[in-house]
Amino acid sequence: MVTSTGIQLVEDFSLEMTGKDVEKLREAAPAIPHGTRINVTFLGNEDLRMRVEAAQAVRELGFTPAPHISARRLRSQNELEEFLGELQRVGASEHVFVVGGDPKTPEGPYSDSLALIDTGLLSEYGVKEVGISGYPEGHPEIATSDLWYHMVEKTQSLKEQGLDRVVLTQFAFDAERVNTWIHETRDRGVESPIRIGTPGPAGIKRLLGYARRFGVGTSASIVKKYGFSLTNLIGTAGPDRFLSELATTIEADFPQDDVKVHFYTFGGLQATAEWVNEFSGER
């Protein structure tokens, strides 16, 4: 049974799409509430035009674009400013999400997201709110102490620049760990709204594959939280159990207008939107 607390947690949810998902977004649009925040990735196989056109499509369809900026993928300051300028031109620069990105070796002058934020360039192109990363279950290649240091430093830098902040996390599977991590975040003076990354309904093999890639949980822990069997990897798994447990876990500790859900859709925008509607009882 879904409680009112669980429904409140998924209110004002956000979604993630790639630059190649524009047609999927058009198809899913009727199932997505007007104004929903939709993050647009910054992947190595996407170019500037694809990223900008995707962000523009998000806005034109009545949603709020939050394009990603991958610091280590940028080859120069000119490339950063060109991207920001194009986003501003199409009305999609107010909300951005700044992340270090996958390349271990920077392709240009920005070693990490903090270095990019510290340029002070974002506000010059109409940026009003910046999303930064959170890792409730850690990162497979970054020390936990470094993750905390960078979160606090990015928060302080953005505050000094007069920019709003939101923490968007890598997806998680352990509700108790997420609750503890939120406490740890607040204890460090980070008062920004938090969006907990959650896999939308996805094929079980794909779900486990992404978890292994990002070092999140173990197969056994995911099975326990999601309720499927490792001997039967056919079909899909949804986050029903995880979100119900998370809502119950954080209910007593945090106002839920400060904690919301961000869905990693794996390309399944419509399936995720329909799942949210069903979870919320909106037939």
Side-chain angles (χ1 to χ4, degrees):
M1 178 179 178
V2 181
T3 65
S4 59
T5 305
I7 293 172
Q8 185 180 355
L9 184 64
V10 299
E11 288 177 349
D12 188 30
F13 65 91
S14 53
L15 298 169
E16 188 149 318
M17 62 177 281
T18 73
K20 297 179 181 179
D21 289 336
V22 172
E23 287 308 311
K24 293 179 180 179
L25 179 63
R26 294 189 197 281
E27 294 170 3
I32 303 173
H34 183 84
T36 294
R37 181 187 305 237
I38 299 182
N39 286 43
V40 181
T41 57
F42 194 111
L43 303 178
N45 60 359
E46 301 165 347
D47 58 20
L48 181 145
R49 180 179 177 182
M50 180 183 293
R51 294 166 187 144
V52 172
E53 288 182 350
Q56 182 177 11
V58 170
R59 184 185 63 78
E60 291 177 346
L61 286 167
F63 307 119
T64 301
H68 291 198
I69 305 175
S70 178
R72 285 191 289 272
R73 290 194 186 280
L74 292 167
R75 290 167 290 186
S76 66
Q77 179 176 316
N78 286 340
E79 186 174 6
L80 170 61
E81 294 200 60
E82 182 183 12
F83 183 46
L84 290 170
E86 285 297 293
L87 291 175
Q88 187 176 37
R89 180 182 64 80
V90 301
S93 67
E94 288 193 4
H95 306 265
V96 299
F97 174 67
V98 181
V99 65
D102 290 337
K104 293 183 178 180
T105 302
E107 297 176 12
Y110 308 114
S111 58
D112 51 39
S113 55
L114 177 60
L116 191 153
I117 287 169
D118 280 345
T119 65
L121 289 169
L122 296 175
S123 60
E124 295 183 16
Y125 291 89
V127 175
K128 295 181 179 179
E129 180 195 79
V130 178
I132 60 175
S133 299
Y135 298 90
E137 297 188 29
H139 189 288
E141 298 179 2
I142 303 175
T144 300
S145 59
D146 290 340
L147 293 175
W148 286 122
Y149 170 81
H150 278 262
M151 177 186 285
V152 172
E153 290 296 306
K154 284 183 282 189
T155 297
Q156 185 61 34
S157 180
L158 291 168
K159 185 176 182 180
E160 291 172 357
Q161 294 176 51
L163 294 171
D164 292 335
R165 289 83 60 199
V166 61
V167 178
L168 189 155
T169 80
Q170 181 53 264
F171 62 74
F173 297 102
D174 188 330
E176 291 184 5
R177 176 59 203 145
V178 169
N179 185 57
T180 299
W181 176 86
I182 297 173
H183 275 286
E184 293 169 342
T185 300
R186 298 304 189 222
D187 288 345
R188 286 170 169 79
V190 178
E191 298 298 333
S192 314
I194 293 173
R195 290 183 174 269
I196 301 299
T198 305
I204 293 171
K205 288 183 179 179
R206 173 174 287 190
L207 185 66
L208 292 173
Y210 271 83
R212 283 191 293 268
R213 175 184 173 189
F214 292 105
V216 181
T218 64
S219 294
S221 68
I222 297 168
V223 167
K224 180 180 178 181
K225 298 297 182 183
Y226 275 60
F228 57 82
S229 169
L230 284 175
T231 61
N232 182 12
L233 300 183
I234 299 173
T236 61
D240 314 55
R241 182 179 296 187
F242 169 70
L243 288 181
S244 295
E245 183 179 346
L246 178 63
T248 301
T249 302
I250 70 174
E251 179 178 15
D253 294 340
F254 304 102
Q256 294 206 11
D257 56 351
D258 283 349
V259 181
K260 295 298 181 183
V261 176
H262 175 78
F263 288 101
Y264 293 92
T265 66
F266 310 121
L269 287 160
Q270 185 161 349
T272 300
E274 291 175 348
W275 180 91
V276 174
N277 290 336
E278 183 177 351
F279 183 81
S280 302
E282 298 172 6
R283 298 291 192 266

